Amino acid sequence: MLKLIRIIAWSIAAAICVLVAGAVYEHRNASQQSAQSIVQIGGPFTLTTHMGEPLIDTQLHGAPFMVFFGYTNCPDICPNTLYETTQLLNILGDRGKNLKVLFITGDPERDTPQVLNTYLQSFHTNIIGLTGTPEQIAQVVRNYRAYAKKTPPDANGNYALDHSTAMYLMGRFGTFITAIDPKAPQEKQLETIKRYL
């Protein structure tokens, strides 16, 4: 009788072990699938600054940085966002002295380094204008899961650019941290930025 009880007990224990092992395997498998399903934002690039110098993404490593897509002919969103970003950088002062903000044009045909240089004179010196070939810009837009598309031109050949408005906050080694809504209250934006500086 005692022997039978022991056999039953060992059988139950073995069954529990199998169930636990199966649950652990399923959890690990689900975690791996979840990690693989996360969309990567960001990536390597080589573009030209508003000073006419090449900038490679790895040159930014060592401090968090921000990315914003737009264009110099933008009537409202871009100048407003760059103005408000200038205000944020001024408030951060020395704490934000190493925080670079990349203003990447989605309109490389018109936004040459010279045009960007003139445009950015009104904003904080930590804001770096970036342009490149249409192919380079298209690749960066894809890498950041952003959006930039020309509208149909008018009778004079003028066009606008529909584009993403979010600011991308990137970590010290170019890893995406979070998106910042430029329409959010200034205090909320500052709180998010300070958390990662």
Side-chain angles (χ1 to χ4, degrees), residues 35-107:
Q36 290 171 355
S37 67
I38 295 174
V39 176
Q40 181 179 342
I41 294 176
F45 62 78
T46 301
L47 296 172
T48 303
T49 73
H50 66 279
M51 299 301 290
E53 301 169 347
L55 179 70
I56 303 171
D57 62 291
T58 53
Q59 292 175 247
L60 299 163
H61 290 182
F65 61 94
M66 297 172 68
V67 177
F68 174 66
F69 291 90
Y71 67 119
T72 61
N73 283 291
C74 183
D76 44 27
I77 294 173
C78 297
N80 289 343
T81 299
L82 293 174
Y83 172 77
E84 290 165 6
T85 302
T86 293
Q87 298 295 98
L88 291 174
L89 290 166
N90 287 335
I91 293 170
L92 288 169
D94 286 342
R95 187 170 181 181
K97 65 182 179 180
N98 294 322
L99 179 64
K100 302 298 183 188
V101 178
L102 309 183
F103 174 60
I104 302 178
T105 180
D107 187 16

Side-chain angles (χ1 to χ4, degrees), residues 11-194:
S11 298
I12 292 172
I16 291 172
C17 287
V18 169
L19 290 173
V20 170
V24 170
Y25 173 80
E26 286 183 12
H27 176 71
R28 286 182 180 173
N29 192 40
S31 298
Q32 288 174 353
Q33 288 177 352
S34 177
Q36 290 171 355
S37 67
I38 295 174
V39 176
Q40 181 179 342
I41 294 176
F45 62 78
T46 301
L47 296 172
T48 303
T49 73
H50 66 279
M51 299 301 290
E53 301 169 347
L55 179 70
I56 303 171
D57 62 291
T58 53
Q59 292 175 247
L60 299 163
H61 290 182
F65 61 94
M66 297 172 68
V67 177
F68 174 66
F69 291 90
Y71 67 119
T72 61
N73 283 291
C74 183
D76 44 27
I77 294 173
C78 297
N80 289 343
T81 299
L82 293 174
Y83 172 77
E84 290 165 6
T85 302
T86 293
Q87 298 295 98
L88 291 174
L89 290 166
N90 287 335
I91 293 170
L92 288 169
D94 286 342
R95 187 170 181 181
K97 65 182 179 180
N98 294 322
L99 179 64
K100 302 298 183 188
V101 178
L102 309 183
F103 174 60
I104 302 178
T105 180
D107 187 16
E109 292 90 345
R110 293 185 295 190
D111 288 342
T112 64
Q114 294 79 10
V115 170
L116 285 168
N117 190 25
T118 301
Y119 184 74
L120 292 176
Q121 295 300 313
S122 303
F123 305 109
H124 199 283
T125 55
N126 277 24
I127 299 174
I128 302 171
L130 289 174
T131 188
T133 66
E135 293 76 21
Q136 287 174 319
I137 294 299
Q139 184 62 57
V140 176
V141 169
R142 283 194 297 270
N143 287 349
Y144 277 83
R145 302 301 188 266
Y147 178 77
K149 185 177 181 181
K150 294 179 184 178
T151 62
D154 62 19
N156 297 317
N158 298 318
Y159 60 87
L161 191 78
D162 290 333
H163 62 89
S164 307
T165 60
M167 302 275 288
Y168 299 84
L169 179 60
M170 311 300 288
R172 299 177 188 275
F173 299 102
T175 304
F176 174 72
I177 295 175
T178 189
I180 297 175
D181 182 358
K183 295 180 181 178
Q186 187 182 73
E187 297 76 15
K188 185 175 181 180
Q189 294 184 52
L190 279 169
E191 180 185 347
T192 301
I193 294 169
K194 286 178 179 179

